[in-house]
Amino acid sequence: MEAFDPNELPELLKLYYRRLFPFSQYYRWLNYGGVVKNYFQHREFSFTLKDDIYIRYQSFNNQSEMEKEIQKLNPHKIDIGAVYSHRPIQHNTVKLGAFQAQEKELVFDIDMTDYDDVRRCCSSADICSKCWTLMTMAIHIIDRALKEDFGFKHRLWVYSGRRGVHCWVCDETVRKLSSAVRSGIVEYLSLVKGGEEMRKKVHLSTKVHPFIRKSINIVEKYFEEYALVGQDIFENKETWDKILTLVPESIHAELQQGFQKCHNSVQRWEHLKRTVSTNRAVKNEKFGPWVEWEIMLHYCFPRLDINVSKGINHLLKSPFSVHPKTGRISVPINLQKVDQFDPFIVPTISQICHELDMVSTNEDDGDKENEAEPDTKRHTRDYKKTSLAPYVKSFEQFLEELDKSRKGELLRKSDAQRDF
Amino acid sequence: MQFFGSKRKKLILAGDQRVASYPHSLQFYLQPPSENISLIEFETLAIDRLKLLKIVENLGVSYVKGSEQYQSKLEIEIRRLKFSYRESSDDEFEARRRDHISHFILRLAYCQSEDLRRWLIQQEMDLFRFRFSILPPDTVQGFLKDSHLQFETISKEEKALHSQDILDSSMPLGGNKYELEAVYKVPFADALDLFRGRKVYLERGFAFVPHQDIVSIILNDFRAKLSKALALTARSLPSVQSDERLQPLLNHLSHSYVGQDYNTQGNMGKISLDQLDSLAMKSFPLCMRQLHKALREHHHLRHGGRMQYGLFLKGIGLTLEQALQFWKLEFIKGKVDTDKFDKGYAYNIRHSYGKEGKRTDYTPFSCMKIILTNPPSQGDYHGCPFRHSDPELLKQRLQSSKVSQTGINQILDYVKGTHYQLACQKFFDLTHNIEDGMFSLNHPNQYFLESQKLLSGGREVRKEPSQPEVPQAKQSVQKTSNSTSSPPASLDSTLEMDMEGLEGYFSE
Ligand SMILES: [Zn+2]
């Protein structure tokens, strides 16, 4: 496989935007069927160019204008912002205060650095296949709630290209939600609370809300393999002392004693569960299954960045943008195969450009008829010759579903009119 | 003065009409009043309502909202100020009229900034909640109907099917039996205050709300409407501000009850950067000490911390140049290089001084804002230590600040009762060796000023707030007094005549 070299990025980007970036699907997404006038035209894009030069408030009239501009600027990173009251490119010509963000997808950002106090394998920007399970659990937990609790249909999950995942909820009604409701949704979905001055970050009560119960069911599937074996959270006194701060003090001595006798994390976890339940039987209601649930959630539950979700005008890295440090493409994650998703086989820009080169050379050896084809037409097929293809395919499936909803909605509206 | 409608109306209405104009003791305030009133009445009504809202705020701090004491004290005060409160009172017309008009006057005074709007909405919601709570059960449906609020109930079968989920999600159903309680199905966004704290069952986009919690849905609607109305009123504010009769009064109204904003006072540039460490130990409130310490230790603060601390520093007098220097020196000791600092963080600092973007001159955060909004999460050091710390860690902090054991217990008691500002004030008293609060603490910068005043031997070091260097949206700044209770000075008597031509401030 072609290793990614950041020095080659400018050259690679040229090729990527000219022949591989799925512009037509991308436009089809953000145009949302052209139902609302100027929806795409009023959308903000922002670009990070060479040397971290950052330009905001870009907007385009149509797909080809966007394509041309991106191919001209070759941005190292593309961010998507809100749909505004006016064309963002003209924001300076609008009367102060009149230029307002009006709609945006509801977005979530889950970043591995927020888990640094509970993962032992890596820290800050590093990830490995062990801690990636945190992201797998996060997607399952959040996606279930978005779908079953909130009834959101169109959820696009995307690998950020480095150490986390993003989710774009694209339902028509969701794009119109106020910032207060967006924060409310994040609060509903947050269980791990408190900053550096708070040790115990999960507090359950005796009544367990169905959202929490269903989340625990998901964590249970992964807990032993991920936390007890993989992270070995009860490995030694130092690590289990951290866990003891989450447990009522009256059983610390009993737990310490037992932990010393056990041989591994799995045994120590069993010991903890036994101790809690025997204490519950003889003593009081301070002990219940929620003691162990609090630990499980503390170590496994998704940590969302509320500020990203709350603001309608907040920018988030676009799908299919390239991560400038790793060179990996920000690709959609197939919801049917979340457990199989491996960030380390997500193609880098070097890899797909190389793959394209290989095919092109072979084709050139064969016949020349490709040359006659217009650039755009060839373009639409080129990504299919690379390992980007399956990811574009799942993006297309997502777009199909959006189309279906839109048609259903139109049908419903025209039926309603006929009834009238 | 005719300040709302376009046509003069006779004030004297026949009995029926009086009932029809205000059918209930509580209102959604959908229609602005359309009658003429004198400037004197305008002023009196405004002050009375402010008194009421201030009482609502204070009672909410001192008592558990909805508790017996809270309810009875609030009722006494409402009656004393002659505002409407009881559905059954025989002739409440005047009380309801006062309620109606005074609410709209305060909208004018409190639409000017985000902080003011937040304060007004909070108090108005608490007042509404109280009035709704004492509405006789048989009039609730009538009120909902008159306010165009109708909710769909779920069938017996659906209720039985979801019984466990609904009971697990909702607050305990008092003495009511689940079988007898109506359950409404509303779009989840209408149940914001319930679902955000997971106090309601959600399924496929709908919230299943037992009748006992319906007030939350109604308040949600009340807030949404009020918030939208305030935004619209703010848009027509320039025309209010150019009205020289109203501008001083409105400004005074908003200042006297929310207090100063502690922005760019006369002390700009009077602090040098090398004083900061010692000032932090002596005169910073705990929240700012925590941020200062974290910054010095990690050479970095995340966004929430930079905002809270940066604006505080601006408030105590750091100039833009000093702020840039301070943050830069600290950040480049960490992972940020000069280039990255200049390109990213420097912009944000200039922004907070109103030199970039929309050129809003940001004001330092008040205690309420710190306690209620943007709670700290992983990696954050901002927030209120009394609200956002483990009691154990808080205890350690207090010990290291040399607070006595009795003092610590007193503070932790306040924390337990969720009186975070009182806890902080106690901390102030104990660390400054003074008997009892001589001021009522509601702002970190106020903490700093009071501390400096004491430490400099009681001499008055505080400047009268002066005109900001760069005039902001508030075009003329009324000299503000720091007292929190004195009513505004009466206005020139020549203005006691009826005024016209102010209509339209509330139109869309
Ligand atoms: Zn790892």
Side-chain angles (χ1 to χ4, degrees):
Chain A
M1 203 210 288
E2 214 51 20
F4 170 68
D5 175 1
N7 294 319
E8 289 169 6
L9 189 60
E11 283 308 307
L12 293 168
L13 283 169
K14 277 186 204 158
L15 186 61
Y16 178 63
Y17 289 128
R18 203 159 45 87
R19 297 187 54 190
L20 293 170
F21 190 95
F23 280 110
S24 82
Q25 291 87 343
Y26 192 70
Y27 175 78
R28 194 174 138 204
W29 169 32
L30 294 171
N31 191 42
Y32 288 104
V35 179
V36 179
K37 200 164 159 261
N38 287 331
Y39 207 73
F40 178 79
Q41 288 78 359
H42 287 192
R43 169 79 70 165
E44 177 188 2
F45 296 85
S46 80
F47 298 140
T48 310
L49 309 179
K50 207 160 132 305
D51 299 325
D52 282 339
I53 294 167
Y54 187 54
I55 47 173
R56 279 198 67 173
Y57 299 124
Q58 303 299 297
S59 62
F60 310 104
N61 280 313
N62 48 48
Q63 185 188 331
S64 92
E65 198 183 299
M66 169 177 68
E67 256 183 85
K68 280 188 194 124
E69 197 62 19
I70 290 181
Q71 285 163 355
K72 195 178 92 195
L73 295 169
N74 293 302
H76 290 209
K77 179 165 162 258
I78 301 174
D79 288 294
I80 300 179
V83 176
Y84 282 83
S85 51
H86 304 77
R87 283 163 209 264
I89 198 98
Q90 297 169 347
H91 74 282
N92 273 329
T93 65
V94 182
K95 210 175 81 203
L96 206 67
F99 181 68
Q100 299 278 353
Q102 291 179 318
E103 292 191 13
K104 204 187 67 186
E105 294 73 14
L106 168 64
V107 295
F108 297 94
D109 179 8
I110 309 173
D111 189 320
M112 201 74 95
T113 51
D114 289 331
Y115 294 83
D116 274 2
D117 61 330
V118 290
R119 54 181 186 145
R120 303 181 58 212
C121 47
C122 321
S123 68
S124 64
D126 295 330
I127 59 164
C128 70
S129 56
K130 272 187 193 169
C131 50
W132 187 256
T133 308
L134 286 166
M135 291 298 140
T136 309
M137 288 188 279
I139 298 175
H140 282 305
I141 289 170
I142 302 299
D143 195 67
R144 188 212 60 78
L146 293 176
K147 179 179 165 193
E148 296 175 6
D149 300 359
F150 289 100
F152 300 154
K153 288 201 182 70
H154 305 287
R155 308 164 315 273
L156 178 67
W157 286 89
V158 180
Y159 171 51
S160 77
R162 192 177 195 188
R163 58 189 185 198
V165 293
H166 299 156
C167 176
W168 299 74
V169 188
C170 304
D171 301 39
E172 191 188 331
T173 50
V174 175
R175 282 179 268 136
K176 297 182 198 306
L177 290 179
S178 71
S179 147
V181 173
R182 289 169 201 245
S183 341
I185 294 171
V186 178
E187 279 178 54
Y188 177 89
L189 298 172
S190 299
L191 284 177
V192 184
K193 288 187 177 159
E196 294 296 310
E197 298 293 311
M198 198 67 97
R199 281 190 198 129
K200 186 169 153 96
K201 294 187 203 290
V202 181
H203 293 267
L204 299 184
S205 58
T206 40
K207 250 207 249 181
V208 177
H209 189 279
F211 164 73
I212 301 178
R213 206 180 59 226
K214 290 170 191 171
S215 301
I216 292 169
N217 290 344
I218 294 172
V219 172
E220 264 170 349
K221 292 187 206 149
Y222 298 87
F223 189 71
E224 177 165 341
E225 196 185 327
Y226 163 72
L228 301 178
V229 179
Q231 298 287 337
D232 209 358
I233 60 172
F234 287 89
E235 187 189 359
N236 51 46
K237 184 156 187 319
E238 189 195 332
T239 60
W240 76 57
D241 274 350
K242 265 174 90 179
I243 297 168
L244 286 185
T245 60
L246 314 176
V247 177
E249 234 176 285
S250 58
I251 53 168
H252 282 194
E254 193 178 343
L255 289 174
Q256 288 283 12
Q257 245 176 13
F259 287 168
Q260 301 285 0
K261 289 183 200 136
C262 300
H263 300 291
N264 57 39
S265 283
V266 178
Q267 289 178 358
R268 292 186 182 112
W269 177 243
E270 287 307 317
H271 174 64
L272 184 139
K273 287 204 285 192
R274 258 197 322 272
T275 311
V276 168
S277 78
T278 51
N279 271 280
R280 185 192 194 186
V282 290
K283 284 180 191 152
N284 52 41
E285 71 290 347
K286 243 174 105 184
F287 301 94
W290 53 86
V291 175
E292 59 199 69
W293 291 340
E294 282 174 347
I295 298 172
M296 292 168 70
L297 295 169
H298 183 94
Y299 278 87
C300 301
F301 192 83
R303 299 170 173 210
L304 304 172
D305 183 342
I306 191 166
N307 293 310
V308 174
S309 308
K310 183 171 70 177
I312 296 173
N313 55 3
H314 204 287
L315 293 147
L316 187 67
K317 184 172 181 229
S318 165
F320 297 104
S321 180
V322 179
H323 196 290
K325 294 252 162 56
T326 62
R328 292 197 196 277
I329 314 290
S330 206
V331 291
I333 296 169
N334 185 342
L335 276 176
Q336 265 77 55
K337 298 178 185 165
V338 175
D339 290 283
Q340 285 84 53
F341 184 85
D342 179 353
F344 296 102
I345 61 167
V346 167
T348 63
I349 186 169
S350 334
Q351 183 190 339
I352 52 173
C353 286
H354 182 71
E355 287 167 355
L356 186 67
D357 276 348
M358 297 297 285
V359 195
S360 307
T361 330
N362 291 343
E363 276 174 359
D364 284 349
D365 289 349
D367 53 7
K368 292 264 178 188
E369 65 185 298
N370 268 338
E371 298 285 310
E373 276 184 283
D375 221 30
T376 47
K377 198 177 170 197
R378 203 177 55 187
H379 185 104
T380 55
R381 289 188 337 209
D382 275 346
Y383 71 85
K384 288 192 178 164
K385 301 167 190 157
T386 72
S387 21
L388 195 59
Y391 301 102
V392 178
K393 188 134 193 265
S394 39
F395 188 48
E396 282 172 339
Q397 279 162 2
F398 166 79
L399 296 174
E400 287 301 317
E401 292 301 316
L402 269 175
D403 273 350
K404 258 193 238 160
S405 285
R406 216 150 33 221
K407 282 190 193 118
E409 182 65 13
L410 284 177
L411 223 60
R412 204 186 55 76
K413 272 187 187 149
S414 75
D415 276 358
Q417 262 169 0
R418 221 171 300 146
D419 285 351
F420 208 61
Chain B
M1 174 179 62
Q2 180 181 22
F3 57 106
F4 306 108
S6 51
K7 287 199 188 100
R8 272 172 180 268
K9 278 186 191 158
K10 279 265 158 45
L11 244 181
I12 303 142
L13 299 169
D16 290 357
Q17 287 169 293
R18 289 159 70 104
V19 174
S21 45
Y22 301 116
H24 302 283
S25 59
L26 74 172
Q27 315 182 22
F28 250 80
Y29 310 108
L30 299 179
Q31 293 297 324
S34 55
E35 60 181 83
N36 296 325
I37 60 169
S38 71
L39 195 66
I40 284 293
E41 188 177 16
F42 183 98
E43 191 183 340
T44 319
L45 282 174
I47 292 167
D48 282 353
R49 191 170 193 95
L50 264 184
K51 282 186 188 153
L52 177 61
L53 295 187
K54 193 69 191 169
I55 286 162
V56 169
E57 184 188 25
N58 289 337
L59 289 177
V61 173
S62 315
Y63 303 97
V64 176
K65 286 174 195 168
S67 68
E68 219 170 284
Q69 277 174 311
Y70 175 88
Q71 299 284 95
S72 71
K73 288 206 190 300
L74 190 48
E75 182 165 338
I76 291 167
E77 296 291 346
I78 293 178
R79 212 179 333 178
R80 193 173 60 82
L81 288 164
K82 300 193 173 59
F83 283 114
S84 55
Y85 71 103
R86 279 281 175 207
E87 188 75 358
S88 49
S89 300
D90 32 356
D91 191 11
E92 254 211 329
F93 173 79
E94 186 50 31
R96 291 176 190 181
R97 175 184 163 271
R98 282 167 55 79
D99 184 54
H100 183 210
I101 298 174
S102 65
H103 168 85
F104 274 91
I105 296 175
L106 285 212
R107 281 193 189 181
L108 284 178
Y110 279 74
C111 67
Q112 309 189 30
S113 75
E114 196 200 324
D115 272 347
L116 291 172
R117 288 195 290 266
R118 194 203 330 271
W119 186 86
L120 182 74
I121 291 172
Q122 182 63 50
Q123 313 319 325
E124 286 283 352
M125 280 177 68
D126 284 349
L127 180 60
F128 186 94
R129 186 188 289 112
F130 165 76
R131 284 170 165 161
F132 188 81
S133 72
I134 58 168
L135 211 55
D138 55 325
T139 55
V140 170
Q141 290 302 340
F143 170 72
L144 294 182
K145 194 159 164 271
D146 288 340
S147 311
H148 310 289
L149 290 165
Q150 305 269 272
F151 308 104
E152 181 199 337
T153 52
I154 59 171
S155 67
K156 265 209 177 85
E157 292 74 32
E158 208 175 355
K159 215 169 97 179
L161 187 67
H162 294 300
S163 64
Q164 199 51 50
D165 286 329
I166 293 172
L167 287 169
D168 278 347
S169 311
S170 314
M171 282 167 279
L173 292 181
N176 308 354
K177 282 223 171 73
Y178 178 71
E179 297 75 46
L180 300 177
E181 182 93 352
V183 174
Y184 305 97
K185 192 172 168 180
V186 304
F188 79 91
D190 295 343
L192 175 59
D193 282 326
L194 292 174
F195 84 74
R196 73 187 316 155
R198 285 185 299 271
K199 290 188 188 116
V200 70
Y201 176 60
L202 291 188
E203 191 185 282
R204 303 273 157 191
F206 287 94
F208 290 69
V209 186
H211 181 76
Q212 63 163 16
D213 296 333
I214 202 72
V215 62
S216 177
I217 312 295
I218 298 163
L219 275 169
N220 194 62
D221 193 46
F222 181 78
R223 177 183 44 208
K225 288 191 169 112
L226 181 52
S227 162
K228 196 174 160 207
L230 286 172
L232 285 171
T233 309
R235 255 185 247 170
S236 55
L237 205 64
S239 51
V240 186
Q241 281 171 334
S242 62
D243 189 316
E244 62 207 19
R245 299 160 304 179
L246 286 185
Q247 171 60 13
L249 172 61
L250 293 177
N251 256 340
H252 199 113
L253 286 172
S254 56
H255 274 101
S256 55
Y257 278 85
V258 173
Q260 265 177 276
D261 63 10
Y262 295 99
N263 195 22
T264 50
Q265 298 153 60
N267 51 6
M268 223 10 150
K270 293 209 175 132
I271 284 177
S272 71
L273 289 183
D274 45 0
Q275 281 177 292
L276 277 184
D277 288 320
S278 82
L279 281 175
M281 292 303 297
K282 287 187 294 196
S283 292
F284 283 16
L286 217 45
C287 54
M288 301 303 168
R289 289 185 200 193
Q290 184 170 301
L291 285 163
H292 185 76
K293 187 162 163 269
L295 175 64
R296 289 286 197 225
E297 270 168 23
H298 306 292
H299 313 300
H300 191 265
L301 282 179
R302 300 190 1 149
H303 181 256
R306 295 199 300 273
M307 287 298 283
Q308 183 175 326
Y309 192 42
L311 290 171
F312 170 78
L313 291 176
K314 177 182 165 195
I316 71 169
L318 245 54
T319 62
L320 173 60
E321 290 66 34
Q322 284 180 311
L324 285 168
Q325 196 193 347
F326 172 70
W327 290 99
K328 186 170 179 172
L329 281 176
E330 209 53 57
F331 271 45
I332 57 174
K333 283 184 208 156
K335 283 185 190 155
V336 177
D337 59 33
T338 305
D339 192 46
K340 192 173 172 199
F341 184 90
D342 292 342
K343 273 183 188 140
Y345 300 105
Y347 177 92
N348 288 324
I349 295 169
R350 284 198 300 277
H351 190 88
S352 70
Y353 275 76
K355 305 291 182 206
E356 297 279 0
K358 277 189 259 173
R359 303 195 166 258
T360 318
D361 199 357
Y362 289 90
T363 54
F365 293 172
S366 65
C367 294
M368 277 318 242
K369 182 158 177 149
I370 293 171
I371 291 170
L372 292 175
T373 62
N374 190 23
S377 63
Q378 201 54 49
D380 283 331
Y381 290 90
H382 70 266
C384 169
F386 300 98
R387 169 72 183 84
H388 300 115
S389 304
D390 262 340
E392 224 13 73
L393 284 178
L394 178 60
K395 215 158 127 187
Q396 288 171 21
R397 297 276 176 284
L398 295 172
Q399 278 160 354
S400 68
S401 302
K402 310 250 178 332
V403 178
S404 69
Q405 192 53 47
T406 8
I408 291 176
N409 290 341
Q410 285 172 311
I411 290 174
L412 291 179
D413 275 350
Y414 279 128
V415 170
K416 230 175 263 159
T418 70
H419 300 309
Y420 310 111
Q421 282 161 269
L422 294 178
C424 187
Q425 178 136 27
K426 190 85 211 163
F427 176 76
F428 181 96
D429 295 349
L430 291 167
T431 48
H432 289 81
N433 290 315
I434 55 167
E435 277 298 301
D436 241 340
M438 310 159 333
F439 62 100
S440 138
L441 178 68
N442 57 38
H443 203 293
N445 289 80
Q446 180 193 14
Y447 184 110
F448 176 81
L449 287 174
E450 295 291 346
S451 168
Q452 285 290 293
K453 201 162 81 181
L454 277 170
L455 294 176
S456 60
R459 264 173 295 131
E460 183 68 45
V461 290
R462 189 196 319 179
K463 297 265 178 224
E464 270 305 301
S466 63
Q467 195 87 10
E469 288 163 50
V470 187
Q472 299 305 311
K474 299 169 209 160
Q475 284 159 353
S476 82
V477 176
Q478 173 86 347
K479 193 178 142 213
T480 57
S481 86
N482 288 322
S483 74
T484 50
S485 54
S486 65
S490 202
L491 292 161
D492 189 34
S493 59
T494 56
L495 291 174
E496 283 176 25
M497 56 190 168
D498 267 17
M499 297 194 297
E500 284 186 44
L502 293 169
E503 67 259 37
Y505 292 150
F506 297 108
S507 60
E508 306 237 345

